[in-house]
Amino acid sequence: MGLRLDRSRELQVRAEKLLPGGVDSPVRAFRSVGGDPPFVIRAEGAYLFDEDGNRYLDYFGSWGPMVLGHAFAPVVEAIQQAAARGASFGASTAAEGDLAELVRRCFPSVEKLRFVSSGTEACMSAIRLARGFTGRKFVVKFEGCYHGHSDAMLVKAGSGVATLGIPGSAGVPEETAMHTLALPFNNLDAVEAAFAARPGEIACVIVEPVVGNAGTIPPAPDYLEGLRALTRKDGALLILDEVMTGFRVALGGAQQRYGVTPDLTTLGKIVGGGLPCGAFGGRADVMDKLAPLGPVYQAGTLSGNPLAMAAGISTLKELIAREGEIYSQLEKTTAAIADGVAAVAREAGVPLTTNRVGSMFTWFFTSEPVTDFASAAKSDTAAFGRFHRAMLEAGVWLPPSQFEAAFVSTAHRTAEVEATLVAARTALQS
Ligand code: KE4
């Protein structure tokens, strides 16, 4: 292997003595792709730099937030200025309203919202709110979808749960899991049957409108509209988990791209510009059930943190100001990368299915279409692991799992497209 990772290896050895698996989030451990993870020291634009002086073209972008590229100057400046005024107050600030107004501008269905510190918190809180608003217990999610690591959501989840092949999670009592119904994605009959079996008992359906946590899987035509109709008919709430798709597949997320209006939306990643921030919001009559107005409790020491607000405001202002230019550039660049490598694979006789929505995409090592988790799971994960390693050796860092989406930023330009195709030609020959 050509890559020198001596310093990263030293740091990995120390990290494993201090952090389980040496990581603060399992998917970073490279368990499903093998080899040592490089330790990043800094990032700029489309590139990551590690402790051994290696440079990598970045295709996971901190798992979604870095849509403007790393260390985007206006965001850096906004964070620095906010930090000089104090990191956290635990009191109301104008910045929370400023960012909330920008979110509402992008997501008209969000009449009211609340900021939290992660996508997990956003989804967990939205589900509690849906249960409190409807007085119902059951929640529908979909196999391969990941909505953070709250107990109720670790049932047939995607992302790291799927990557590590663990059924759900130890530590989740069956009394909790029993109220989560996990159904196949892109299958409306299964949802209809669930509502028929439990009329008036399902509080909400939560879905990744474009799945990213089983790898990228677009919704089938009319699927999201079908979920909207079925939930409305039964009086259940529709929650679109746009933590990944928000500001990614369109400025207004998947609900803008596909024209579906949910009752609640969860956000994360891009909304905080790379700082710890999530949000959940939607119908005012639902949101007003939250304390201190209503009986559903939810709270957070660092919710609406001034630095995260500053980073989010700066990011969304850029996306809003240059919406047309940015989203058409992201579409074009991502198509060139995703389809370009698919063509290289065809030339090399390697079966590859490419799914893409906007600037998120996945190369599945299978010749079959991938329309749900079951079909994604047929992928040759060992082949993906070899590809991942070969691309890393060639200076291209893909998400280290077949069951994750890759992301492109505005910092990815023609040079990055070309470099990726060159690396893929080598990687797919091996
Ligand atoms: P966080 O708690 O990780 O901020 O967000 C949870 C979450 C909720 N909903 C969706 C659709 C998500 O994609 C996520 C988090 N995504 C994973 C990557 N697929 C985070 C990466 C990680 O776990 O390290």
Side-chain angles (χ1 to χ4, degrees):
M1 294 296 183
L3 209 50
R4 285 184 53 79
L5 293 171
D6 303 350
R7 178 66 180 142
S8 285
R9 182 74 206 130
E10 283 168 20
L11 290 167
Q12 180 71 18
V13 168
R14 181 187 66 169
E16 288 176 359
K17 296 186 183 107
L18 300 163
L19 312 170
V23 292
D24 287 315
S25 199
V27 74
R28 302 176 190 171
F30 274 37
R31 286 295 160 111
S32 76
V33 293
D36 283 331
F39 276 56
V40 175
I41 194 166
R42 72 179 183 92
E44 188 177 345
Y47 294 91
L48 298 167
F49 300 84
D50 76 9
E51 291 273 355
D52 292 279
N54 301 304
R55 186 186 80 156
Y56 307 91
L57 185 43
D58 178 11
Y59 278 108
F60 56 106
S62 178
W63 303 95
M66 310 321 293
V67 69
L68 294 172
H70 291 286
F72 184 70
V75 175
V76 173
E77 195 181 324
I79 296 168
Q80 287 171 332
Q81 287 174 4
R85 297 195 294 270
S88 178
F89 315 126
S92 295
T93 63
E96 293 157 85
D98 295 342
L99 185 54
E101 284 177 342
L102 293 172
V103 169
R104 287 204 333 181
R105 196 165 150 185
C106 302
F107 289 84
S109 72
V110 176
E111 295 171 345
K112 281 193 172 179
L113 64 128
R114 177 165 285 176
F115 292 110
V116 292
S117 297
S118 70
T120 293
E121 265 196 279
C123 294
M124 175 180 73
S125 307
I127 285 161
R128 182 181 312 129
L129 178 58
R131 284 172 157 158
F133 179 79
T134 60
R136 301 177 178 187
K137 284 183 185 173
F138 287 88
V139 171
V140 167
K141 75 176 289 290
F142 299 94
E143 291 161 10
C145 287
Y146 178 71
H147 307 288
H149 62 88
S150 65
D151 283 0
M153 289 295 98
L154 287 180
V155 176
K156 294 188 183 176
S159 185
V161 179
T163 299
L164 301 173
I166 49 184
S169 172
V172 178
E174 62 271 10
E175 292 83 1
T176 303
M178 69 185 281
H179 292 116
T180 302
L181 307 174
L183 306 177
F185 182 70
N186 271 336
N187 178 334
L188 283 175
D189 292 345
V191 181
E192 197 155 17
F195 276 112
R198 295 193 177 282
E201 293 187 74
I202 295 172
C204 62
V205 169
I206 185 167
V207 66
E208 290 185 58
V210 175
V211 180
N213 290 290
T216 306
I217 305 177
D222 301 328
Y223 178 67
L224 297 176
E225 294 82 347
L227 293 180
R228 178 65 286 181
L230 287 168
T231 46
R232 185 169 282 133
K233 184 176 161 208
D234 183 81
L237 299 188
L238 176 63
I239 303 175
L240 292 190
D241 177 353
E242 299 231 42
V243 166
M244 188 183 282
T245 53
F247 317 100
R248 169 65 61 183
V249 299
L251 182 61
Q255 56 196 268
Q256 174 188 327
R257 194 175 182 113
Y258 297 100
V260 174
T261 303
D263 299 297
L264 294 175
T265 298
T266 56
L267 297 168
K269 297 182 192 280
I270 293 172
V271 77
L275 267 65
C277 182
F280 63 106
R283 285 169 41 191
D285 63 323
V286 179
M287 292 301 289
D288 283 351
K289 288 290 181 192
L290 277 174
L293 296 182
V296 180
Y297 195 69
Q298 186 280 336
T301 302
L302 299 177
S303 296
N305 172 270
L307 275 61
M309 296 296 102
I313 289 164
S314 175
T315 299
L316 293 202
K317 277 184 172 174
E318 183 74 16
L319 294 174
I320 291 166
R322 297 199 296 125
E323 177 184 3
E325 175 199 338
I326 284 176
Y327 289 94
S328 62
Q329 180 204 331
L330 288 173
E331 287 283 340
K332 288 194 194 89
T333 309
T334 311
I337 292 161
D339 299 345
V341 169
V344 169
R346 270 193 304 279
E347 287 158 24
V350 174
L352 214 54
T353 290
T354 304
N355 283 356
R356 177 179 75 83
V357 178
S359 57
M360 60 188 275
F361 70 96
T362 300
W363 294 302
F364 291 96
F365 279 71
T366 174
S367 53
E368 305 284 315
V370 176
T371 57
D372 59 13
F373 181 65
S375 44
K378 289 179 187 162
S379 304
D380 180 343
T381 51
F384 177 86
R386 291 192 298 275
F387 178 62
H388 182 275
R389 195 79 218 161
M391 291 291 270
L392 196 70
E393 293 283 331
V396 178
W397 192 337
L398 300 176
S401 164
Q402 174 67 96
F403 306 117
E404 292 288 357
F407 300 102
V408 172
S409 78
T410 52
H412 289 73
R413 301 284 181 154
T414 309
E416 285 67 39
V417 175
E418 287 311 311
T420 305
L421 300 186
V422 167
R425 280 191 198 97
T426 308
L428 289 166
Q429 300 306 343
S430 58

